[in-house]
Amino acid sequence: NAGVTQTPKFRILKIGQSMTLQCAQDMNHNYMYWYRQDPGMGLKLIYYSVGAGITDKGEVPNGYNVSRSTTEDFPLRLELAAPSQTSVYFCASSSGIRETRYEQYFGPGTRLTVT
Amino acid sequence: SQKIEQNSEALNIQEGKTATLTCNYTNYSPAYLQWYRQDPGRGPVFLLLIRENEKEKRKERLKVTFDTTLKQSLFHITASQPADSATYLCALSYYGNNRLAFGKGNQVVVIP
């Protein structure tokens, strides 16, 4: 199993550009999450999904959009990139089965710089 | 809103000693409290989960305690090794809610 994969690993965007961060998991997990992590700060939840076709906002959703058309994929869209979106983005998944649904598996992250 | 506090200062510890980290939270107690390890440039890795009705959980050289009266969890690494050097994150979740709230993490440096 590859676990949770994310592409790209690094990206530099100009202000106002858009991009999609890709996330895929091969563990057949129902739950998927997007976080951002700023230096010295904890992980902040952007969006999450409890299954294909169902998404919901987290703590910091402004400036982002998500979709979940399959169990495996959970892309994060940035529209009109701003310097405040410079961060490291992590995708995660969890099984959704009893208490193990709370154990999250993380991807390697995408380091995004907006200039 | 819920606040999760972890020591911002790195813990420097001699190899072989026990490293102890603290996670304090405010307001209501979580149903589950988890600890993750994060290495530089990598995503967090799940280590241990403890439920609100459990006092202690162990896994190999790791031990977690959970005191809902003090609103605190302690994370211990016994017989610490240089390979244990990393940042350790505390995370809380609640019944009926699959989301995690993370602390900022506490760095551990094990000195050979």
Side-chain angles (χ1 to χ4, degrees):
Chain A
N1 282 358
V4 179
T5 57
Q6 291 184 239
T7 55
K9 285 190 173 13
F10 304 93
R11 183 73 187 267
I12 299 174
L13 276 184
K14 293 192 185 310
I15 294 171
Q17 286 185 322
S18 300
M19 77 164 293
T20 299
L21 280 65
Q22 301 292 343
C23 174
Q25 53 92 9
D26 62 358
M27 297 174 282
N28 202 31
H29 283 174
N30 286 323
Y31 298 89
M32 295 188 76
Y33 314 82
W34 274 106
Y35 295 89
R36 60 176 288 172
Q37 186 175 38
D38 300 318
M41 302 296 288
L43 292 150
K44 301 286 187 192
L45 183 65
I46 305 171
Y47 271 95
Y48 67 102
S49 169
V50 301
I54 308 169
T55 62
D56 207 347
K57 294 177 182 178
E59 195 180 346
V60 290
N62 291 346
Y64 307 95
N65 267 307
V66 293
S67 59
R68 182 104 183 263
S69 55
T70 65
T71 300
E72 293 77 24
D73 300 298
F74 190 39
L76 177 72
R77 178 89 179 149
L78 276 74
E79 306 281 3
L80 299 174
S84 61
Q85 292 178 305
T86 294
S87 189
V88 180
Y89 291 84
F90 289 102
C91 179
S93 70
S94 60
S95 68
I97 301 169
R98 287 187 239 134
E99 73 178 39
T100 60
R101 70 173 155 225
Y102 298 111
E103 301 168 20
Q104 296 190 9
Y105 294 80
F106 283 79
T110 293
R111 186 174 296 272
L112 176 69
T113 302
V114 182
T115 61
Chain B
S1 62
Q2 184 71 288
K3 254 188 167 181
I4 304 166
E5 294 169 349
Q6 294 187 256
N7 198 337
S8 56
E9 279 192 33
L11 175 66
N12 294 313
I13 191 157
Q14 208 68 37
E15 182 176 3
K17 301 288 188 189
T18 297
T20 298
L21 305 179
T22 305
C23 174
N24 294 303
Y25 59 90
T26 59
N27 302 334
Y28 39 93
S29 282
Y32 302 92
L33 193 145
Q34 302 181 44
W35 285 88
Y36 287 77
R37 170 185 172 136
Q38 187 172 24
D39 291 288
R42 293 179 167 258
V45 174
F46 171 78
L47 295 175
L48 277 168
L49 177 151
I50 187 166
R51 290 181 274 189
E52 65 171 342
N53 60 353
E54 294 176 318
K55 295 289 183 198
E56 182 179 298
K57 202 83 168 270
R58 288 175 187 260
K59 179 182 174 184
E60 296 169 358
R61 292 184 296 109
L62 307 178
K63 184 178 90 170
V64 172
T65 63
F66 193 5
D67 188 327
T68 54
T69 303
L70 291 179
K71 296 190 177 180
Q72 182 180 82
S73 173
L74 298 179
F75 176 80
H76 307 271
I77 308 171
T78 58
S80 58
Q81 302 167 2
D84 295 326
S85 297
T87 296
Y88 293 86
L89 307 173
C90 166
L92 279 52
S93 55
Y94 299 86
Y95 286 116
N97 185 334
N98 301 310
R99 292 175 285 177
L100 285 177
F102 281 87
K104 293 180 183 178
N106 195 177
Q107 186 183 10
V108 171
V109 178
V110 181
I111 303 159

